[in-house]
Amino acid sequence: QVQLVESGGGLVQSGGSLRLSCAASGSMFSINAMGWYRQAPGMQRELVATITFGGSTNYADSMKGRFTIARANAKNTVYLQMNSLKPEDTAVYYCTAISGYPSGYYYWGQGTQVTVSS
């Protein structure tokens, strides 16, 4: 009932920046948080950052100080500003909308590829 579409991925050099966007649509009545996860080839999907609709944020330790999550309520959009990118940040980045955060149902977008060259 919730649709998520990511955009903004691409190829960037080490040390560069990208801004990812996620547009949400559908029945958002049960959603109380949104966020970003990522998955590299052969790796588990891991937390990048989440933001509750009250504005509280949570970041994975490796992303603190480099990545920033923000939400634009008027457009049902969340952003991920990624700075000081490293080759190990290369992954497919997935947007999520969460019903009953943190232990509820996670809706997922299709993902957007981020590739950081050395």
Side-chain angles (χ1 to χ4, degrees), residues 43-57:
M43 303 289 287
Q44 294 179 299
R45 188 171 297 189
E46 65 174 345
L47 169 73
V48 176
T50 57
I51 184 166
T52 71
F53 284 10
S56 298
T57 58

Side-chain angles (χ1 to χ4, degrees), residues 9-118:
L11 176 64
V12 65
Q13 289 187 322
S14 181
S17 298
L18 283 174
R19 188 189 190 213
L20 306 183
S21 298
C22 173
S25 61
S27 299
M28 297 286 287
F29 63 90
S30 66
I31 304 299
N32 64 341
M34 296 181 70
W36 293 90
Y37 284 67
R38 70 185 187 186
Q39 188 168 23
M43 303 289 287
Q44 294 179 299
R45 188 171 297 189
E46 65 174 345
L47 169 73
V48 176
T50 57
I51 184 166
T52 71
F53 284 10
S56 298
T57 58
N58 182 47
Y59 296 90
D61 287 343
S62 63
M63 271 63 96
K64 290 179 180 177
R66 298 191 300 123
F67 291 7
T68 302
I69 189 169
R71 179 169 174 260
N73 291 342
K75 295 186 176 181
N76 294 313
T77 302
V78 292
Y79 304 98
L80 184 69
Q81 179 66 46
M82 304 186 294
N83 299 324
S84 301
L85 284 162
K86 307 172 183 178
E88 52 262 45
D89 294 320
T90 296
V92 177
Y93 284 71
Y94 295 92
C95 181
T96 185
I98 307 164
S99 175
Y101 174 85
S103 60
Y105 185 82
Y106 286 59
Y107 297 87
W108 298 100
Q110 83 288 350
T112 185
Q113 177 71 46
V114 171
T115 302
V116 184
S117 62
S118 60

